Amino acid sequence: MVLEATMICIDNSEWMRNGDYSPSRFQAQADAVNLICGAKTQSNPENTVGVLTMAGKGVRVLVTPTSDLGKILACMHGLEIGGEMDLAAGIQVAQLALKHRQNKKQQQRIIVFAGSPIKPDKKSLEMIGRKLKKNSVALDIVNFGEDDEGKTEKLEALLAAVNNNDSSHIVHVPAGPNALSDVLISTPIFTGDGEGGSGFAAAAAAAAAGGVSGFEFGVDPNLDPELALALRVSMEEERARQEAAAKKAAEEASKQEKGGEQQSSSQDATMTEHASGATSEADNKRNDLSDDDNALLQQALAMSMDEPASTHDVQDSEMSDAAADDPELALALQLSVQDSAKDSSSQADVSKLLADQSFVSSILASLPGVDPNDPSVKEVLASMQSQSETQQKQDEDKAPNEEK
Amino acid sequence: MACTHDHSCEDHDCSSNWSLYKHIDLAKVTALNEANPGSVKSVFKAWEDRLNSSGEHLESNEGDPELLVYIPFTSDVKIKSISVVGGADGTSPSKMRVFINREGIDFSDAQGMQPVQEWDLVENLQGVLEYQTRYSKFQSVASITLHFPESFGGDTTQIHYIGFKGEATQLKRDVVATIVYEITPNPSDHKTRAETGGGLSQVE
């Protein structure tokens, strides 16, 4: 959410007619610019963005830094391709435009699209870079299009001269099937050094995959703000309800593992009800997140199936109250009892731990990117529970022997 | 000049004079051309710590000794004098130009504008020198910008301490936020004294 004034320098030289980026280099560039403007204005409503062109008859400022997205998108219309790009002048004019921004509290940033060969030599670029650094202006460079000899080297030198504390970035986009904007979405140019724009970026990424407009819930907040608001509120409510239910489930599951299965199935029912309310965007996001974790959970399942725990379930019923309050205490108790028991292979320990749902829930909650309320996670947990249930029935006769 | 009294100068006597650093809005202090972003905040400390160079200090980028420091205060202050402790080996600043109550100055502005006052500095490694201001011009300072254009020949400029001597008023400089211009006056906005019932002015 950093407060920033950005000037975007567009390359509209003759080299932009080339079609190696679909549909043409210029069009790909325009799409990327639109996306960047949206991202910047969304991440902080007081951010301003301005646009200038570097080629044509000369450097021309199309829009001075403004937070009005419509104005920026409108000025991208009807741009003409021609001439040669003047990088040095473009950056200097951008710096001047930023100097006269209305809100002096904004950080200054320039984003340059360098698609054609670069005329100034490395030394003058470095001087420009140092001047930018001196005035604490950050610079992002998008290197695409023509791959001149020395172009990459010059741009890297420029970045090294400007870079102050990793606030400036360079992205090389080779020609290929991926659109320029798609490649840029995952770069720090969009994500703003790791914070802020990532929400927008994630939504845009999901949209690009799903092929719908890049807004949360698939509804343009500008077109229908009430619907978007209602969807967001219902998502929040559902999330809160699931969290409360999951907490209850975790407690009860460690006490009575039989009851837990029924509960999770009822939760699944309620979730399918509300799943229709939540849209594909949110589900896509969550599914993407849990794909990796599903693999891990499957592995854990396999391990628990290989090594049936003998003493584990009895210990659970003994320590149910403790486990409900403090899963780590339960773990410690488990480990100490397991050590004294004969069954002490490390694999068995891990499988017992993994079979303990409360412990797994707490671990999952601490994993970044895993939502314990995710339906797929819940199903896996429920199936693991049923595993431990069958183990309990099998091992009840062994239990009295090893109970301490 | 500080500390040239006849008696031996107890530190706390002098340091109470140099207490304007408490009125600096440290969160909003910024500097241009500093090598480590944020290091400028370390130069504002108590007078006793002015020679304590163990912590961070403000240093300009390699090969470029120019520095610009913007210092806002939490209330309006009157500044009597300024003290600057620089670095050794020619890294002390040689000149200082100040601007008052202007924010967002950058190097091209600073080089072009006429400063409120400027001084030729000397190397002041012991921190015993202070530079007096034309007090009448420094009566209500909400923010001050110090521009150090050059050093004594060093590659960079280092500053270990900046101190201000003066007094703090409790006032805050009011920036006019909104101005309403009237084309035709609205009588209800302009009640005269007679109407509000105050008639005679009171002399006490």
Side-chain angles (χ1 to χ4, degrees), chain A residues 108-261:
Chain A
Q108 305 173 65
R109 181 172 291 271
I110 302 179
I111 303 183
V112 172
F113 283 85
S116 41
I118 300 200
K119 273 197 305 207
D121 61 344
K122 202 158 111 170
K123 253 217 166 64
S124 38
L125 285 177
E126 278 176 359
M127 257 183 10
I128 294 175
R130 259 175 277 142
K131 188 155 167 252
L132 288 177
K133 180 172 176 182
K134 190 167 168 181
N135 287 297
S136 74
V137 179
L139 179 67
D140 289 336
I141 308 175
V142 180
N143 179 12
F144 71 112
E146 286 297 311
D147 193 11
D148 223 9
E149 78 285 345
K151 181 184 181 198
T152 309
E153 204 192 318
K154 286 182 187 174
L155 291 177
E156 294 276 2
L158 173 59
L159 183 83
V162 177
N163 203 355
N164 186 3
N165 232 17
D166 276 338
S167 61
S168 303
H169 317 96
I170 184 170
V171 179
H172 306 275
V173 186
N178 302 328
L180 183 61
S181 14
D182 290 341
V183 176
L184 284 181
I185 280 175
S186 54
T187 59
I189 293 184
F190 256 92
T191 58
D193 299 334
E195 43 79 15
S198 55
F200 180 89
V212 296
S213 72
F215 292 105
E216 218 185 347
F217 305 123
V219 173
D220 183 352
N222 293 329
L223 288 180
D224 201 343
E226 288 145 356
L227 179 55
L229 183 63
L231 286 171
R232 189 178 306 146
V233 168
S234 77
M235 274 299 294
E236 294 298 330
E237 280 178 11
E238 181 53 33
R239 207 172 287 153
R241 192 184 333 191
Q242 284 177 12
E243 270 170 41
K247 227 181 270 182
K248 231 191 334 169
E251 282 181 19
E252 292 187 27
S254 59
K255 285 179 192 167
Q256 328 154 7
E257 297 178 34
K258 287 176 189 168
E261 199 183 33

Side-chain angles (χ1 to χ4, degrees), chain B residues 117-129:
Chain B
Q117 195 171 351
E118 67 180 304
W119 293 268
D120 287 323
L121 306 179
V122 252
E123 286 195 333
N124 179 19
L125 296 173
Q126 298 310 311
V128 295
L129 287 181

